[in-house]
Amino acid sequence: MKKTVLLTAPYMLPFLERFRPEFEKYDLDLIVPDVEERMEEADLLKYAGQFDGAVCGDDRYTARVIEACSPRLKVISKWGTGVDSIDAEACSRFNVILSRTPNAFTTPVADTVLGYMLAFARRGPWMDREMKSGKWEKIPGKALSELTLGIIGIGNIGKAVTRRAKAFGMKVLGTDIVDIDHVFVSESGIQMTNLQSLLSESDFVSVNCDLNPTSHHLINAKTLSMMKNTAILINTARGPIVEEPALVAALRSGQVGGAALDVFEYEPLPKDSPLLKMDNVMLAPHNSNSSPTAWERIHWNTIKNLVTGLGLEYKG
């Protein structure tokens, strides 16, 4: 019997015709809804019982969705690494295989963090803006080697950010809820500490941890108050790690110096968000994973995970 796949991964949809023959090779029919950023619970429930496998982005596969899609649903193949939008416990309970591509975006995300730090330290975007408005104004900058970086979450991306920052001569502080390999610590020169010390001593604070119950709203009014009033918060991980209203208040009051945000509590970022009008904030539309090489690897690994999850032989 032919199997059907719900394909909603935004990064694959523009290249659908390229990959369609690959799905046909395994005799898979496709359901392809219109997707802007992600499918919410209500969107997915409309297709309950209609598909055997899913290729998804950050879609909200809640316990309710997974139960409604069972027992037909056999595999959810996530395009990318993070699966915080998918109820893993419900997948286990209803025998749904949950697969992803670990270490998918380490290089581009780490590069993005360095790009933000260079932009704020060297003031490039702000001088460009002044020049184009007709002003010849030398805005003071700093060298990265004069600054301290604090990294929250020393996983693959946190380690990659550490290596890049050390190459620029920065002092790097790190914190994590798990023990970090002592070999990496000694070789990289990162100084592991607690969250309060990291926040109070850092000129840049980069959020690179997973989103889970321990990290939800980890950056809030209390933790923001621990930061230097000149410090810059960088979030390229997951939006809900930062309590957005608290960050807006801290930026408005001058409690923190600025922010660079690639991810948000609600995406796309609402058009009435105060962040859009703040001069000390750099924004991007959840795009720090941008990399042709990384995307290509993830495209094919996502298909492989889907095919094997459906119990078919992957032919490469």
Side-chain angles (χ1 to χ4, degrees):
M1 181 179 174
K2 242 185 169 185
K3 298 183 187 298
T4 299
V5 174
L6 180 67
L7 176 61
T8 59
Y11 291 98
M12 288 189 77
L13 292 177
F15 312 105
L16 180 58
E17 294 313 309
R18 177 187 170 204
F19 294 114
R20 195 181 290 278
E22 190 69 14
F23 291 102
E24 292 173 351
K25 183 164 73 175
Y26 297 100
D27 203 25
L28 299 174
D29 283 336
L30 294 178
I31 299 174
V32 186
D34 289 330
V35 182
E36 181 179 1
E37 185 69 25
R38 63 174 55 80
M39 299 279 279
E40 300 295 341
E41 181 185 75
D43 302 317
L44 291 168
L45 285 171
K46 295 174 185 176
Y47 298 95
Q50 300 179 38
F51 57 98
D52 306 276
V55 172
C56 70
D58 291 330
D59 303 326
R60 307 300 187 193
Y61 275 92
T62 62
R64 185 181 175 201
V65 170
I66 293 164
E67 181 177 13
C69 292
S70 298
R72 182 170 180 178
L73 179 62
K74 296 296 186 289
V75 57
I76 299 174
S77 183
K78 166 67 191 286
W79 190 99
T81 298
V83 290
D84 49 86
S85 65
I86 303 170
D87 192 318
E89 189 278 328
C91 286
S92 177
R93 186 155 34 101
F94 291 99
N95 298 311
V96 176
I97 295 169
L98 175 56
S99 60
R100 61 192 183 116
T101 302
N103 200 20
F105 306 120
T106 297
T107 298
V109 174
D111 287 355
T112 298
V113 174
L114 261 292
Y116 282 138
M117 289 198 295
L118 285 165
F120 272 97
R122 303 307 304 156
R123 310 303 294 167
W126 289 268
M127 285 189 285
D128 174 75
R129 194 177 309 154
E130 293 298 293
M131 288 286 288
K132 289 175 179 174
S133 68
K135 299 177 184 176
W136 182 274
E137 183 178 349
K138 300 181 190 294
I139 302 175
K142 293 183 179 180
L144 288 186
S145 60
E146 298 170 309
L147 302 169
T148 296
L149 167 64
I151 303 175
I152 301 173
I154 314 300
N156 290 320
I157 294 172
K159 289 183 174 70
V161 172
T162 299
R163 295 186 184 102
R164 284 159 173 74
K166 294 300 287 188
F168 279 85
M170 298 186 77
K171 177 181 178 180
V172 181
L173 306 177
T175 192
D176 207 307
I177 60 172
V178 299
D179 290 334
I180 304 303
D181 176 30
H182 68 93
V183 175
F184 172 77
V185 172
S186 61
E187 288 183 348
S188 68
I190 189 173
Q191 298 176 35
M192 299 302 296
T193 186
N194 58 50
L195 180 61
Q196 182 172 351
S197 294
L198 181 146
L199 293 173
S200 65
E201 296 177 34
S202 299
D203 299 294
F204 290 100
V205 174
S206 180
V207 178
N208 295 114
C209 56
D210 293 332
L211 174 61
N212 54 52
T214 67
S215 65
H216 184 266
H217 284 179
L218 178 66
I219 304 301
N220 52 45
K222 181 180 178 181
T223 50
L224 286 164
S225 70
M226 300 174 186
M227 293 174 61
K228 295 180 180 181
N229 62 11
T230 55
I232 308 299
L233 177 72
I234 301 172
N235 187 9
T236 56
R238 282 289 189 261
I241 297 171
V242 176
E243 188 177 3
E244 221 159 89
L247 175 60
V248 168
L251 289 164
R252 280 176 167 162
S253 69
Q255 192 171 66
V256 296
L261 307 171
D262 182 63
V263 289
F264 307 91
E265 286 211 70
Y266 301 99
E267 296 178 357
L269 183 65
K271 289 183 170 51
D272 61 351
S273 170
L275 293 167
L276 293 165
K277 297 180 179 179
M278 293 185 168
D279 185 57
N280 57 342
V281 175
M282 293 184 69
L283 305 173
H286 200 148
N287 196 44
S288 65
N289 65 7
S290 186
S291 159
T293 301
W295 286 8
E296 189 69 7
R297 182 171 73 90
I298 296 159
H299 288 330
W300 292 106
N301 195 59
T302 303
I303 293 173
K304 178 183 178 181
N305 288 339
L306 170 78
V307 170
T308 56
L310 288 171
L312 304 172
E313 181 185 354
Y314 183 68
K315 302 171 185 176

